[in-house]
Each structure stands twice: as structure tokens, then as C-alpha cells.
């Protein structure tokens, strides 16, 4: 059983931010920023690409409401919503989850950088739309 399934089953303690029949939101143990929250479906899917779209849609609707509450009540100025998918993208727990990372100022401990690559955009589009 994966670690998040064990948390959902109640075999490992967690700090619950929200729970219903299908969804659990808990405080991330790392607290990258204050209020860092993980929203997960109770049903195990390795990653969001493996979820039926309808279930993923519901997960994101709940994520939006939880993100609004966390951001508002912790006086954050914004938040990042992040889904790491597969090891190459930094996924370390193979039970899909959405990170809510409240942001307080631009010099906090979180950073994302997007470097530019000179690629042929028409060729990229051709590959994406090939089937
Ligand atoms: P990932 O890297 O897979 O996107 O994120 C996994 C997250 O789960 C990490 O941010 C990590 O801190 C958190 N995490 C791992 N184990 C536990 C745990 O036992 N309890 C809680 N609350 N968070 C955990
Ligand atoms: Zn699981």
C-alpha cells in the first residue's frame, strides 16, 4: 500500500485540511511555505493522467475551494498549484496529488525558472497533433 493510501486509511497520522467521501487534503509535512497543502483523491491513481477526466475535474474543483480558503485565512498574497507527474518531473509519491503552495512574497523559498530554448514551433506543433 502506498504512503498516501495509508494516510487515507488512517494508519499514518496527518493534519487534515479537508475531507469528504472522495477527497482528502492534508498539510504537507515539508511546509515549503506556511499552509502547503496536498489534495488527493481517496482512490489510488499513480498520476493524474491515469485518472478519468471527470474525477480529475472534481479533484480540481475541490482544490480551487481549498486553495481559496487556505490563501484567504493565512493572509497569503497568492498561491502556486502544482502537479508533479512521474519521477522526471519530481513526483516522489506515486499517488496523484495537487500541491497548494501559498505565496507570501517573491523572495520566499519557492522558485520556478523557465529557460528559453530555440525550437522550431511548427515542428513542435506537428508532433503534438500527429494523431
Ligand atoms: P511530490 O514530490 O510527489 O510531488 O510530493 C510529495 C509530497 O509529499 C512532498 O512535498 C512531501 O513533503 C510530502 N510527504 C511525503 N510523505 C509525507 C507524509 O508522510 N505526510 C505528509 N503530510 N506529507 C508527506
Ligand atoms: Zn495510494
Amino acid at each position: 500500500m502506498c504512503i498516501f493510501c495509508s494516510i487515507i486509511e488512517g494508519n499514518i497520522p496527518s493534519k487534515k485540511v479537508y475531507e469528504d467521501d472522495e477527497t482528502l487534503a492534508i498539510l504537507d509535512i515539508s511546509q515549503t511555505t506556511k499552509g502547503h497543502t496536498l489534495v488527493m483523491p481517496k482512490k489510488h491513481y499513480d498520476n493524474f493522467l491515469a485518472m478519468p477526466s471527470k474525477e480529475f475535474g472534481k479533484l480540481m474543483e475541490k482544490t480551487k475551494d481549498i486553495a481559496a480558503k487556505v490563501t484567504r485565512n493565512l493572509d497569503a498574497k497568492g498561491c502556486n498549484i502544482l502537479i508533479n507527474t512521474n519521477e522526471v518531473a519530481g513526483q516522489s509519491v506515486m499517488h496523484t496529488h495537487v500541491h497548494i503552495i501559498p505565496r507570501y512574497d517573491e523572495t520566499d523559498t519557492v522558485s520556478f525558472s523557465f529557460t528559453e530554448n530555440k525550437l522550431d514551433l511548427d515542428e513542435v506543433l506537428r508532433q503534438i497533433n500527429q494523431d
Side-chain angles (χ1 to χ4, degrees), residues 6-104:
S6 296
I7 288 174
I8 289 159
E9 293 282 310
N11 298 329
I12 295 176
S14 65
K15 300 293 182 196
K16 291 181 187 177
V17 175
Y18 173 83
E19 183 171 26
D20 63 27
D21 289 348
E22 295 155 333
T23 315
L24 179 67
I26 59 170
L27 289 181
D28 190 295
I29 207 158
S30 72
Q31 290 298 286
T32 299
T33 61
K34 183 175 153 191
H36 181 184
T37 296
L38 303 172
V39 189
M40 62 192 76
K42 286 192 171 173
K43 188 164 173 197
H44 180 102
Y45 293 102
D46 285 351
N47 62 57
F48 87 96
L49 295 173
M51 288 181 81
S53 296
K54 214 168 174 178
E55 284 182 44
F56 179 65
K58 279 197 210 165
L59 183 73
M60 292 311 287
E61 276 181 24
K62 286 164 195 170
T63 298
K64 187 245 171 191
D65 291 344
I66 297 162
K69 182 176 174 182
V70 168
T71 304
R72 182 178 69 244
N73 287 345
L74 292 180
D75 279 331
K77 293 189 186 129
C79 64
N80 291 104
I81 299 298
L82 179 68
I83 304 176
N84 296 327
T85 303
N86 294 337
E87 234 173 307
V88 69
Q91 186 179 3
S92 59
V93 178
M94 297 299 151
H95 179 128
T96 197
H97 52 279
V98 186
H99 292 259
I100 299 170
I101 305 172
R103 300 300 300 269
Y104 299 92

